[in-house]
């Protein structure tokens, strides 16, 4: 099996485009930086990842509640949360060619402990100390301006925005604010016993200085977030448990343990008790964050209580307090990319032919079954199509009638389809089809009347 270190991101990007997983947004107009579209195979894979996350973070926990909050929120929300003031990355500009760099990321690359939450003076002294080691990625010069905070919030307008007095609305810089805002609603509607969780999958927008590394750093992306509301001071044990749970979710998703690790934060924001990232070992750029796990104490609810003037206390059998929060925030684009990187491989077969395979676990495969008539003629196509229609009631299937059967098998392998059914001349005679397994490439004959049960068992 090919290791991630031996895979090339460039190959994966062109594979994603060729096979209808991911396209550049507005490509015919030369695209727009940091924005991507999911194609027919991509949207299915993304949906399967989301469904698996939702099952484990909502359905399988009896005290977890799912929501879907509006993109637009009262602008006061982003003031209260600190985003209008402090949601920024430290940016510096090359004095020679004006290219902008993210100073914390450049410092990290050369082994310094830096992150975007460091005070400006601190990051600048570290930047100054290392100025000989950091080159402009475009022109190679080592002559930068000082690092300045660059706000990432994306602004928009609603209503009569031609009025001078109208204030902007903001696109969410993170999806999780919608959860804090609905905490009181959930408590009122469902009276959950503490501890309880609220989960959401939502879009986030960030005006990233330099979007790069394909789906890894984009300006529009989706996050899958859970806020776990706990009693005060019960954070240490719950943080530890949450870390373990989230790590094992990635293993169940199919990512191998050797490609996953934790990175605990050294520089914590003032309210955070603990924070860690789960990182994945991407080809070319190595271990990078796919999820953040934060022990946020009662910070979020206390700022919203103060700014909204509403009582957000939880009443625990007469004892009132603001719940503390353990937050998990996963980037779906990054996890999607990790999944493709993990399962993409090229093989040389016994006959010397090369095949590309996406060896996805069946629950993630965009299409579960490809139905293939051996020939278009002699009624084979029509009979095969009937099977396709019947199976499509329960499974996501494709119907492929063009090219040699070998080529069609390869096409199915490339997009990760676990089973191919071929309807041939013997099928007419014996009322059976050939079922071919993607990974072993073994074939067996199965009666058409037994297909449904057979596949249900295989695709469990
Ligand atoms: P980074 O340090 O890489 O900028 P972050 O620490 O700002 O990330 P968080 O604010 O903790 O990220 O967001 C939670 C998750 O959202 C991240 O773990 C990541 O998976 C995802 N995410 C954040 N920014 C982006 C982005 N620009 N593009 C794609 N996914 C992102």
């Amino acid at each position: 099996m090919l290791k991630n270190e031996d895979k090339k991101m460039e190959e994966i990007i062109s594979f994603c485009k060729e096979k209808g997983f991911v396209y550049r947004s507005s490509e015919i107009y030369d695209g727009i930086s940091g924005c991507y579209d999911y194609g027919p195979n991509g949207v299915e894979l993304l949906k399967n990842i989301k469904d698996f996350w939702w099952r484990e973070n909502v359905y399988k926990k009896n005290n977890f509640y799912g929501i879907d909050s509006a993109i637009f929120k009262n602008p006061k929300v982003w003031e209260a949360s600190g985003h209008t003031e402090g949601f920024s990355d430290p940016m510096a500009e090359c004095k020679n060619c004006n290219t902008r760099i993210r100073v914390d990321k450049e410092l990290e690359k050369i082994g310094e402990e830096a992150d975007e939450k460091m005070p400006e003076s601190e990051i600048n002294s570290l930047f100054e100390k290392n100025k000989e080691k950091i080159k402009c990625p475009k022109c190679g010069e080592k002559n930068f301006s000082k690092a300045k905070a660059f706000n990432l919030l994306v602004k928009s307008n609603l209503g009569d925005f031609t009025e001078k007095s109208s204030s902007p609305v903001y696109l969410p810089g993170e999806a999780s604010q919608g959860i804090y805002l609905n905490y009181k609603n959930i408590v009122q509607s469902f009276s959950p016993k503490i501890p309880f969780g609220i989960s959401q999958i939502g879009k986030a927008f960030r005006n990233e200085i330099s979007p790069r590394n394909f789906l890894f750093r984009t300006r529009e992306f989706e996050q899958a977030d859970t806020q776990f509301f706990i009693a005060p001071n019960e954070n240490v044990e719950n943080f530890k448990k949450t870390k373990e749970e989230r790590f094992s979710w990635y293993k169940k998703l199919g990512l191998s343990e050797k490609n996953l690790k934790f990175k605990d934060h050294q520089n914590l924001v003032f309210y955070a008790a603990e924070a860690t990232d789960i990182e994945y070992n991407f080809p070319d750029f190595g271990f990078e964050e796919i999820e953040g796990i934060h022990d946020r104490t009662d910070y979020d609810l206390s700022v919203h209580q103060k700014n909204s003037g509403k009582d957000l206390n939880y009443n625990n059998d007469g004892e009132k307090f603001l719940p503390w929060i353990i937050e998990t925030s996963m980037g779906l684009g990054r996890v999607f990319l990790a999944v493709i990187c993990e399962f993409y491989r090229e093989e040389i077969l016994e006959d010397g032919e090369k095949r590309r395979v996406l060896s996805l676990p069946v629950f993630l495969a965009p299409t579960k079954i490809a139905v293939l008539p051996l020939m278009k003629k002699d009624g084979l196509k029509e009979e095969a199509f009937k099977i396709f229609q019947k199976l499509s009631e329960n499974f996501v299937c494709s119907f492929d009638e063009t090219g040699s059967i070998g080529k069609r098998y390869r096409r199915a392998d490339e997009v990760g389809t676990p089973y191919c059914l071929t309807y041939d001349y013997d099928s007419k005679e014996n009322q059976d089809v050939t079922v071919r397994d993607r990974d072993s490439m073994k074939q067996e004959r199965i009666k058409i009347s037994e297909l449904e049960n057979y596949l249900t068992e295989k695709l469990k």
Side-chain angles (χ1 to χ4, degrees):
M1 173 83 87
L2 211 56
K3 289 202 296 254
N4 273 10
E5 286 80 355
D6 303 323
K7 296 177 188 173
K8 292 261 160 293
M9 193 51 88
E10 216 171 276
E11 245 168 60
I12 284 169
I13 296 171
S14 62
F15 166 80
C16 282
K17 177 175 154 61
E18 185 193 328
K19 291 287 141 194
F21 283 89
V22 181
Y23 304 118
R24 281 166 75 199
S25 164
S26 21
E27 179 150 15
I28 60 167
Y29 290 97
D30 299 326
I32 173 167
S33 184
C35 302
Y36 290 91
D37 298 340
Y38 289 91
N41 284 316
V43 75
E44 293 297 330
L45 173 56
L46 186 67
K47 180 170 168 291
N48 294 339
I49 298 172
K50 286 186 201 175
D51 286 351
F52 180 58
W53 184 87
W54 197 262
R55 194 157 63 235
E56 300 281 320
N57 288 281
V58 182
Y59 297 151
K60 280 171 98 171
K61 299 189 172 185
N62 71 349
N63 55 346
F64 277 55
Y65 301 82
I67 61 160
D68 183 9
S69 65
I71 291 269
F72 291 118
K73 296 168 170 64
N74 190 314
K76 287 181 190 159
V77 170
W78 302 107
E79 277 156 33
S81 66
H83 281 77
T84 50
E85 272 293 305
F87 187 50
S88 56
D89 286 337
M91 181 207 78
E93 209 169 89
C94 170
K95 287 188 178 164
N96 182 44
C97 72
N98 301 332
T99 296
R100 291 165 168 191
I101 59 160
R102 234 184 102 171
V103 177
D104 56 325
K105 295 288 169 199
E106 294 300 325
L107 286 166
E108 264 183 13
K109 276 190 215 159
I110 56 167
E112 290 287 356
E113 283 291 346
D115 69 47
E116 74 273 18
K117 296 180 185 83
M118 282 171 100
E120 213 163 276
S121 59
E122 232 173 84
I123 202 151
N124 267 315
S125 63
L126 209 55
F127 191 29
E128 178 64 25
K129 199 178 103 194
N130 288 287
K131 67 180 180 196
E132 280 311 310
K133 294 189 197 151
I134 299 174
K135 272 202 273 187
C136 171
K138 196 162 168 206
C139 71
E141 290 285 312
K142 295 176 187 166
N143 188 11
F144 290 98
S145 69
K146 279 202 161 167
K148 272 210 311 248
F150 179 85
N151 195 292
L152 301 175
L153 271 190
V154 178
K155 281 184 198 163
S156 187
N157 295 287
L158 283 181
D160 186 1
F161 54 80
T162 53
E163 293 251 325
K164 275 223 171 73
S165 60
S166 79
S167 54
V169 286
Y170 301 96
L171 300 185
E174 59 181 28
S176 58
Q177 288 301 322
I179 298 183
Y180 307 127
L181 300 175
N182 279 290
Y183 148 82
K184 194 175 167 73
N185 291 333
I186 298 289
V187 170
Q188 283 173 347
S189 302
F190 301 94
S191 312
K193 198 87 199 108
I194 205 153
F196 63 93
I198 305 180
S199 297
Q200 156 165 268
I201 294 176
K203 282 232 170 179
F205 303 82
R206 295 184 188 179
N207 195 8
E208 293 281 354
I209 302 159
S210 48
R212 66 193 158 83
N213 292 343
F214 192 38
L215 296 176
F216 183 81
R217 189 170 301 287
T218 53
R219 288 178 166 153
E220 173 180 345
F221 54 97
E222 266 184 309
Q223 291 177 318
D225 293 346
T226 297
Q227 315 277 326
F228 190 40
F229 296 82
I230 58 174
N233 299 308
E234 292 190 351
N235 51 330
V236 175
E237 206 32 49
N238 279 306
F239 185 75
K240 191 166 160 255
K241 209 172 106 210
T242 305
K243 272 178 77 170
E244 283 160 14
E245 260 185 41
R246 292 304 303 144
F247 200 84
S248 84
W249 184 86
Y250 287 102
K251 289 201 286 178
K252 283 197 241 166
L253 186 71
L255 303 184
S256 49
E257 199 161 348
K258 68 175 185 332
N259 286 331
L260 289 164
K261 71 174 186 201
F262 285 112
K263 185 181 175 201
D264 296 334
H265 288 208
Q266 305 299 326
N267 299 299
L268 293 171
V269 277
F270 67 93
Y271 52 81
E274 263 187 287
T276 195
D277 297 335
I278 296 181
E279 296 190 331
Y280 181 76
N281 184 20
F282 290 96
D284 291 352
F285 48 90
F287 278 97
E288 289 284 354
E289 172 179 350
I290 53 176
E291 166 160 343
I293 305 174
H294 309 119
D295 176 350
R296 302 179 63 89
T297 64
D298 68 353
Y299 176 75
D300 306 280
L301 289 181
S302 63
V303 291
H304 284 307
Q305 172 162 273
K306 182 162 161 260
N307 284 273
S308 67
K310 304 287 186 311
D311 181 4
L312 298 183
N313 277 297
Y314 178 85
N315 187 339
N316 195 24
D317 299 328
E319 185 202 357
K320 281 188 166 187
F321 54 77
L322 278 181
W324 287 25
I325 288 173
I326 308 287
E327 172 190 75
T328 63
S329 182
M330 168 179 100
L332 274 155
R334 291 186 185 182
V335 172
F336 177 100
L337 182 57
V339 165
I340 299 254
C341 293
E342 181 83 31
F343 295 106
Y344 174 84
R345 61 188 156 96
E346 288 184 5
E347 289 176 348
I348 306 291
L349 301 177
E350 276 170 15
D351 60 6
E353 211 196 316
K354 195 165 94 175
R355 81 159 182 159
R356 293 191 298 187
V357 196
L358 205 56
S359 54
L360 293 166
V362 290
F363 76 99
L364 290 179
T367 302
K368 310 298 182 204
I369 305 153
V371 182
L372 321 170
L374 183 68
M375 297 284 187
K376 285 186 206 165
K377 57 186 186 187
D378 301 328
L380 301 189
K381 177 178 161 182
E382 288 71 18
E383 289 305 315
F385 197 72
K386 279 187 209 157
I387 297 176
F388 163 76
Q389 282 183 309
K390 179 84 184 66
L391 292 177
S392 293
E393 283 172 21
N394 291 313
F395 308 102
V396 182
C397 302
S398 64
F399 186 75
D400 190 358
E401 54 180 310
T402 48
S404 72
I405 205 76
K407 280 215 177 92
R408 284 182 270 166
Y409 283 155
R410 294 288 168 272
R411 277 205 287 268
D413 293 344
E414 283 175 333
V415 298
T417 306
Y419 296 100
C420 288
L421 311 189
T422 307
Y423 189 93
D424 56 19
Y425 288 101
D426 288 342
S427 304
K428 267 185 152 178
E429 199 81 347
N430 305 330
Q431 285 304 299
D432 62 3
V433 290
T434 298
V435 179
R436 173 188 174 272
D437 179 285
R438 176 196 67 199
D439 297 328
S440 66
M441 293 187 283
K442 292 221 170 77
Q443 306 189 2
E444 55 181 323
R445 297 295 288 193
I446 302 291
K447 290 277 176 217
I448 293 170
S449 58
E450 285 162 19
L451 266 180
E452 195 98 16
N453 284 342
Y454 174 87
L455 289 165
T456 305
E457 190 56 34
K458 287 278 188 192
L459 293 167
K460 241 187 208 164

